[in-house]
Amino acid sequence: MTKGSTEALAGRRKFLGLAAAGAGGVLLAPGIHLIEIAHAATPAVTSKVRWGLLIDTTKCASGCTDCVSACNTENGLDPTPSPTSAQWIRKVEIKEIKTGRQASLPVMCQHCAEPPCVDVCPTGASFKRADGIVLVDRHSCIGCRYCVMACPYKARSFVHEPLTNQKPDVPRGKGCVEGCTLCVHRVDRGGTPACVEACAKAGHEAMLFGDLNDPDSAISRRIRDIATRQLRADLKLDPGVRYAGL
């Protein structure tokens, strides 16, 4: 084979490789595909930012499910969940045995700095972005559910049924594990999670979203002003979700 024909063949192979990448979304790293890079229009994710939530349980009413409904609508989840339906956020009622004091709070993926779901994932499907958001790559998730067992917050769901009418920004799939993404598709466009927006729109103001690394952000100032805690802080996972009033 001549040098010219060799170069031509290499060129055709390169072209076909790029075409296949564009069509199939070849995996480069956990959560990163060539097709996504081609269409990316958001600022680069950086560790200078750490996204987090502050939930004030004194403002969270028992029986209110505005945040749950908003999450289901935004992410295309079942509006009337069955026992096997995926649920990314749930309301939990707790009671202190000694005093009888009760509180109602939403619990979702806590977006830990040291996420156990990432540690146990055999394929790298569970991963943490540089800005602290913990996600699942549907392309490499094999449905083993190790992450479901490792999560102390019971924040991961397994998709048992076939899915239809999915949201373009929220790809899901039968046989995969999923959980709260902090509405990353909204965050990357400069927005806030749907649950936070719904809580504010309803006048509850029980949820505050922002950059935990920015000392001047509203969430950082609030954490300095009031007592807050992380769920299961004893595990030293450093969750990005904080609770006040517990």
Side-chain angles (χ1 to χ4, degrees):
M1 184 177 292
T2 65
K3 180 180 179 182
S5 60
T6 300
E7 291 177 347
L9 179 59
R12 286 196 294 272
R13 285 175 175 170
K14 182 177 180 181
F15 172 79
L16 291 173
L18 291 174
V26 173
L27 184 66
L28 298 181
I32 302 175
H33 290 74
L34 286 177
I35 189 67
E36 294 169 352
I37 292 175
H39 294 289
T42 57
V45 176
T46 171
S47 59
K48 293 181 179 179
V49 173
R50 187 189 179 191
W51 297 116
L53 279 175
L54 174 59
I55 298 170
D56 189 342
T57 63
T58 65
K59 298 179 180 179
C60 188
S62 177
C64 175
T65 58
D66 288 343
C67 58
V68 176
S69 297
C71 177
N72 291 345
T73 300
E74 178 69 25
N75 296 296
L77 306 183
D78 191 343
T80 55
S82 70
T84 59
S85 294
Q87 190 173 24
W88 293 11
I89 180 173
R90 67 190 190 279
K91 286 295 294 292
V92 175
E93 307 293 325
I94 62 174
K95 181 178 181 179
E96 189 173 359
I97 297 176
K98 292 183 178 179
T99 64
R101 178 180 173 276
Q102 297 182 350
S104 179
L105 60 150
V107 176
M108 68 292 285
C109 173
Q110 301 291 291
H111 298 281
C112 305
E114 303 292 337
C117 57
V118 173
D119 290 340
V120 302
C121 181
T123 66
S126 286
F127 68 101
K128 184 185 71 170
R129 296 204 325 177
D131 57 8
I133 299 179
V134 178
L135 301 171
V136 179
D137 183 349
R138 306 303 193 277
H139 299 276
S140 52
C141 177
I142 58 175
C144 68
R145 286 166 273 189
Y146 286 169
C147 62
V148 175
M149 293 181 283
C151 177
Y153 307 105
K154 301 184 185 300
R156 288 278 173 95
S157 294
F158 182 77
V159 181
H160 293 270
E161 296 87 8
L163 301 173
T164 57
N165 300 320
Q166 295 188 53
K167 302 278 183 152
D169 289 329
V170 190
R172 304 174 62 214
K174 180 182 177 182
C176 293
V177 173
E178 57 185 27
C180 164
T181 66
L182 280 182
C183 288
V184 66
H185 57 287
R186 295 168 63 109
V187 172
D188 283 347
R189 295 169 182 162
T192 59
C195 58
V196 177
E197 183 178 275
C199 188
K201 186 176 293 185
H204 307 311
E205 301 289 350
M207 306 178 79
L208 183 60
F209 173 77
D211 181 7
L212 295 169
N213 284 349
D214 180 2
D216 296 322
S217 67
I219 189 172
S220 294
R221 294 198 305 269
R222 186 63 175 158
I223 288 174
R224 288 197 300 269
D225 292 342
I226 63 174
T228 66
R229 65 186 300 181
Q230 299 164 315
L231 297 183
R232 292 303 308 271
D234 58 303
L235 298 177
K236 302 186 184 304
L237 303 177
D238 189 15
V241 181
R242 315 291 175 91
Y243 292 85
L246 289 183

